[in-house]
């Protein structure tokens, strides 16, 4: 695989979308921007089921399998072909979302969740994971201003606290591929830090 995979992770309202747009602009739009769930036509349908179903109607194991199914389709149809062509792929969420939300948030068996996602992604691991860390109280407040809460956003605060801690633990355990940023910092400052780190990864840093 010659292309690089850069992933954004974080809890609700962390500002991934905004920072992804900054990075895409910084890289002159010469990158593939995509997301999980929803990066394929099939994935868009799964995303709707996952986020718009009424609370309490999706069993936890079904949820884990649907995220993994979205991921398998996305890798096969979009991500792996792009990486094989040497393209840079920027993805909103990856396997660590399932570790944070399903394993930690839902308290499901992490070994199963990891195995499922590793299988779904054919073992593709991001070259860089940018974690936009935010206190869920602030993040959920920001997300609430965006519109009505989806099924995951409506989970209890404790659920979102477990998600945040899981991300911080993942970052600690994978220091080499993680960049952890305080998502409450000014937007431009975050964008500049991310641009520098990605330039180093891609070898596009200004001389
Ligand atoms: P977002 O892409 O708009 O951030 O929303 C996706 C939602 O789905 C978010 O609440 C996190 C959740 N999610 C999981 O629970 N597990 C996963 O594996 C992924 C990719 C997302």
């Amino acid at each position: 695989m010659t292309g690089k995979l850069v992933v954004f992770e974080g809890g609700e309202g962390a500002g991934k979308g905004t920072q992804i747009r900054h990075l895409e602009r910084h890289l002159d739009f010469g990158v593939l921007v995509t997301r999980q769930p929803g990066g394929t036509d099939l994935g868009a349908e799964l995303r709707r089921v996952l986020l718009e179903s009424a609370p309490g109607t999706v069993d936890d194991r079904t949820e884990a399998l649907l995220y993994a199914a979205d991921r398998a389709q996305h890798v096969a149809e979009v991500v792996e072909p792009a990486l094989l062509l040497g393209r840079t792929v920027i993805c909103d969420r990856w396997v660590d979302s399932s570790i944070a939300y399903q394993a930690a948030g839902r308290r499901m068996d992490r070994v199963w969740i990891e195995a499922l996602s590793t299988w779904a992604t054919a073992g593709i691991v991001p070259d860089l994971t940018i974690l936009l860390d935010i206190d869920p109280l602030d993040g959920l407040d920001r997300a609430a201003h965006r519109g009505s809460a989806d099924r995951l956003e409506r989970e209890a605060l404790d659920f979102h606290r477990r998600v945040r801690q899981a991300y911080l633990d993942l970052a600690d355990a994978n220091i080499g591929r993680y960049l952890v940023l305080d998502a409450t910092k000014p937007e431009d400052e975050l964008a500049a830090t991310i641009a520098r780190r990605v330039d180093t990864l891609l070898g596009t840093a200004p001389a």
Side-chain angles (χ1 to χ4, degrees):
M1 252 357 113
T2 50
K4 300 281 187 211
L5 174 61
V6 176
V7 168
F8 283 74
E9 294 279 3
E12 312 304 324
K16 292 180 284 100
T18 304
Q19 289 304 324
I20 287 172
R21 281 190 292 279
H22 277 292
L23 182 59
E24 190 182 12
R25 200 173 317 120
H26 174 73
L27 296 172
D28 287 333
F29 301 95
V31 290
L32 177 70
V33 175
T34 185
R35 69 175 175 180
Q36 291 180 2
T40 60
D41 288 347
L42 175 62
E45 292 185 42
L46 294 175
R47 182 181 175 94
R48 192 180 44 72
V49 171
L50 281 160
L51 301 187
E52 292 175 23
S53 293
T57 60
V58 184
D59 175 75
D60 288 354
R61 276 181 291 194
T62 308
E63 178 181 289
L65 287 164
L66 290 177
Y67 278 114
D70 165 80
R71 193 161 280 138
Q73 186 68 25
H74 188 228
V75 166
E77 200 179 311
V78 176
V79 179
E80 194 167 33
L83 293 175
L84 285 169
L85 287 173
R87 296 195 68 188
T88 298
V89 177
I90 298 176
C91 191
D92 189 340
R93 301 193 180 279
W94 196 258
V95 171
D96 289 352
S97 278
S98 278
I99 298 175
Y101 282 80
Q102 278 66 55
R106 299 275 185 233
R107 300 190 205 271
M108 298 184 78
D109 187 333
R110 177 168 168 164
V111 174
W112 274 98
I113 297 294
E114 274 196 52
L116 196 59
S117 282
T118 305
W119 183 61
T121 55
I124 296 176
V125 176
D127 295 285
L128 172 64
T129 301
I130 297 159
L131 172 60
L132 294 171
D133 174 55
I134 191 160
D135 184 321
L137 269 181
D138 298 334
L140 289 168
D141 188 50
R142 281 193 195 181
H145 286 98
R146 274 193 324 228
S148 63
D150 64 36
R151 195 175 58 87
L152 274 290
E153 284 166 355
R154 281 189 231 163
E155 285 298 328
L157 187 58
D158 263 6
F159 172 95
H160 292 287
R161 289 208 164 112
R162 287 196 295 280
V163 168
R164 181 191 195 187
Q165 191 55 50
Y167 273 131
L168 293 172
D169 292 345
L170 276 162
D172 273 350
N174 298 279
I175 270 172
R177 73 164 164 96
Y178 256 90
L179 171 64
V180 183
L181 298 172
D182 173 354
T184 63
K185 290 256 173 69
E187 189 180 316
D188 290 349
E189 189 182 321
L190 289 169
T193 307
I194 292 169
R196 271 197 304 277
R197 179 68 180 260
V198 172
D199 279 341
T200 304
L201 174 74
L202 301 181
T204 48

